[in-house]
Amino acid sequence: AGLWTVFTLGGASSKTTASPELTSPLANQSLLLLLVLVNLTDAPDTPNPYRQAVTSFKNTQDSSPFPSSIPHAFQINFNSLYTALCEQQSDQATLLLYTLLHQNSNVRTYVLARTDMENLVLPILEILYHVEERNSHHVYMALIILLILTEDDGFNRSIHEVDKYLHTNCLAALANMSAQFRSLHQYAAQRIIR
């Protein structure tokens, strides 16, 4: 416990509801370092080994062999990773989620197969709901994550099962706003009607 207190600078035992950056500075700094290493540019003759590792790691439940072309392969517990990403709403965690969904097909497949998608989607929607409290990069990453997720037909089917009245509520919201619509693009107007 003493060593853990040193690593977290006492933040792990704190009972306040401070931001994740303040409650676990070691985790925050580690995440920042990981993001910097993953986003380093490739050398002309050598690809970035950190990016290769992050874009190809697999679930500990997956027993299939790694391709020999991936020298920096490793495995991680996807359930723990998913839980951690659902609980964090910091800029860094959102950027990591985007990177994993965009570049690691193993993570994307796992996330899209989850039956508790609301645990991931609701915090992302909360970022968009509190847009005035977030920086524009954080909001943009949240939007891109939603776009990546909605590219999957299975996700779109499963997310509608969360709220059976989603379509009705969305149409009611559009009806409420329709009196104030001005200069709508032709495509948007057609999509509302159809």
Side-chain angles (χ1 to χ4, degrees), residues 48-123:
N48 179 344
Y50 301 103
R51 184 177 299 135
Q52 282 184 325
V54 166
T55 61
S56 62
F57 70 83
K58 297 189 320 182
N59 194 353
T60 52
Q61 305 293 322
D62 188 355
S63 59
S64 64
F66 283 101
S68 59
S69 62
I70 304 174
H72 308 289
F74 67 97
Q75 292 182 304
I76 189 170
N77 184 325
F78 278 16
N79 189 46
S80 297
L81 177 64
Y82 180 81
T83 302
L85 289 171
C86 289
E87 293 173 354
Q88 295 296 319
Q89 296 180 19
S90 68
D91 295 2
Q92 300 86 351
T94 304
L95 182 56
L96 178 64
L97 176 61
Y98 162 76
T99 301
L100 294 176
L101 288 174
H102 181 65
Q103 297 182 2
N104 189 319
S105 60
N106 299 322
V107 172
R108 186 173 47 254
T109 301
Y110 177 83
V111 167
L112 291 171
R114 294 289 299 215
T115 57
D116 59 346
M117 190 59 73
E118 66 275 3
N119 292 338
L120 182 67
V121 173
L122 291 177

Side-chain angles (χ1 to χ4, degrees), residues 5-184:
T5 303
V6 170
F7 279 131
T8 62
L9 300 176
S13 62
S14 176
K15 298 293 183 206
T16 62
T17 58
S19 67
E21 293 84 5
L22 299 175
T23 57
S24 54
L26 180 61
N28 185 53
Q29 295 303 315
S30 298
L31 180 54
L32 288 172
L33 177 62
L34 175 66
L35 290 170
V36 166
L37 292 173
V38 166
N39 289 298
L40 289 173
T41 57
D42 294 327
D45 56 344
T46 310
N48 179 344
Y50 301 103
R51 184 177 299 135
Q52 282 184 325
V54 166
T55 61
S56 62
F57 70 83
K58 297 189 320 182
N59 194 353
T60 52
Q61 305 293 322
D62 188 355
S63 59
S64 64
F66 283 101
S68 59
S69 62
I70 304 174
H72 308 289
F74 67 97
Q75 292 182 304
I76 189 170
N77 184 325
F78 278 16
N79 189 46
S80 297
L81 177 64
Y82 180 81
T83 302
L85 289 171
C86 289
E87 293 173 354
Q88 295 296 319
Q89 296 180 19
S90 68
D91 295 2
Q92 300 86 351
T94 304
L95 182 56
L96 178 64
L97 176 61
Y98 162 76
T99 301
L100 294 176
L101 288 174
H102 181 65
Q103 297 182 2
N104 189 319
S105 60
N106 299 322
V107 172
R108 186 173 47 254
T109 301
Y110 177 83
V111 167
L112 291 171
R114 294 289 299 215
T115 57
D116 59 346
M117 190 59 73
E118 66 275 3
N119 292 338
L120 182 67
V121 173
L122 291 177
I124 293 170
L125 292 175
E126 187 175 340
I127 292 168
L128 300 177
Y129 184 75
H130 297 288
V131 68
E132 66 280 349
E133 299 169 9
R134 311 289 183 168
N135 68 50
S136 60
H137 299 295
H138 195 190
V139 171
Y140 180 73
M141 283 294 108
L143 285 171
I144 297 297
I145 289 168
L146 288 176
L147 285 174
I148 290 170
L149 294 173
T150 56
E151 288 175 346
D152 182 71
D153 291 337
F155 170 81
N156 293 331
R157 277 190 303 276
S158 69
I159 203 67
H160 291 302
E161 293 172 4
V162 172
D163 183 358
K164 295 178 182 176
Y165 303 105
L166 180 66
H167 296 292
T168 305
N169 293 333
C170 288
L171 288 174
L174 285 173
N176 290 342
M177 297 185 315
S178 64
Q180 304 302 321
F181 286 160
R182 302 285 184 267
S183 303
L184 279 180

